[in-house]
């Protein structure tokens, strides 16, 4: 498979202020939406992510790497799930103002999605990966690849930090 951003159905690089209200994003590669560079104020609201070939992508959204300022996912449906995570990223991907709320799941839930976020470990692991975010995890695991600061995380499965990373987020089961 190609690198996730190069074969994404949609590549967002240096984009500011883009909103997907409803609609379908479909593709057959390892990721459906690739993020690169500085990306600001992207909203997916009621959007349906679909794999055209019936096989789950590795990620629905992937930063390779990216600095993402304001990514919102509200009531999205991932039709075939995701093999690795709904949101992924290379080391150095940073999310500021990541807002995930409502129903975020695959249509065929059993065994399809276990991680909400899976970012490669940062070097050093004390680097921020997620900050100033509100995340409703719906029981899914989070592997941020770095530290989490000033965020609210509701209903997460496991939060798996790399050794040396910190997490001062407010959490609720």
């Amino acid at each position: 498979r190609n690198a996730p951003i190069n074969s994404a159905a949609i590549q967002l690089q240096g984009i500011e202020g883009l909103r997907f209200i409803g609609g379908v994003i479909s593709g057959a590669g390892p990721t459906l939406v690739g993020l690169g560079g500085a990306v600001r104020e992207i909203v997916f609201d009621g959007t349906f992510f679909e794999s055209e070939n019936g096989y789950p992508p590795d990620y629905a959204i992937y930063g390779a790497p990216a600095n993402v300022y304001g990514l919102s996912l509200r009531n999205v449906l991932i039709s075939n799930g995701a093999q690795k995570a709904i949101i992924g990223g290379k080391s150095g991907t940073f999310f500021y103002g990541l807002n995930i709320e409502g129903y975020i799941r695959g249509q065929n839930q059993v065994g399809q999605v276990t991680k909400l976020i899976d970012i490669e470990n940062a070097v050093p692991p004390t680097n921020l990966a997620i900050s100033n975010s509100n995340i409703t995890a719906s029981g899914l695991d989070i592997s941020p690849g770095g530290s989490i600061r000033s965020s609210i995380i509701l209903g997460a499965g496991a939060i798996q930090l790399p050794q040396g990373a910190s997490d001062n987020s407010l959490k609720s089961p």
Side-chain angles (χ1 to χ4, degrees):
R1 289 183 151 181
N2 294 328
I5 185 108
N6 294 335
S7 58
I10 296 176
Q11 295 182 27
L12 304 176
Q13 298 185 20
I15 296 290
E16 184 170 339
L18 185 62
R19 289 163 183 74
F20 291 86
I21 309 299
V24 177
I25 296 173
S26 69
T31 192
L32 298 176
V33 177
L35 305 174
V39 179
R40 298 178 184 279
E41 304 303 325
I42 307 299
V43 175
F44 297 97
D45 191 346
T47 307
F48 184 76
F49 290 80
E50 174 183 56
S51 170
E52 292 176 353
N53 61 12
Y55 295 104
D58 291 342
Y59 307 95
I61 300 170
Y62 190 84
N67 289 324
V68 183
Y69 302 93
L71 173 65
S72 295
L73 296 159
R74 292 185 209 120
N75 300 311
V76 301
L77 182 64
I78 316 294
S79 72
N80 298 97
Q83 290 186 40
K84 296 182 179 178
I86 292 175
I87 299 172
K90 286 189 181 219
S91 176
T93 296
F94 169 67
F95 290 95
Y96 181 95
L98 176 61
N99 296 298
I100 301 174
E101 57 188 83
Y103 185 77
I104 313 289
R105 281 293 180 120
Q107 186 172 1
N108 302 319
Q109 295 175 24
V110 180
Q112 293 283 339
V113 179
T114 59
K115 282 191 176 179
L116 179 61
I117 300 169
D118 188 16
I119 300 171
E120 293 175 8
N121 288 348
V123 179
T126 53
N127 285 355
L128 269 180
I130 298 172
S131 181
N132 295 72
S133 298
N134 294 304
I135 300 169
T136 301
S138 301
L140 300 176
D141 296 344
I142 296 173
S143 296
S147 294
I148 302 173
R149 182 181 70 203
S150 303
S151 297
I152 299 171
I153 300 175
L154 305 175
I159 297 177
Q160 302 154 338
L161 297 174
Q163 186 174 356
S166 62
D167 176 5
N168 75 354
S169 64
L170 177 64
K171 295 173 206 62
S172 177

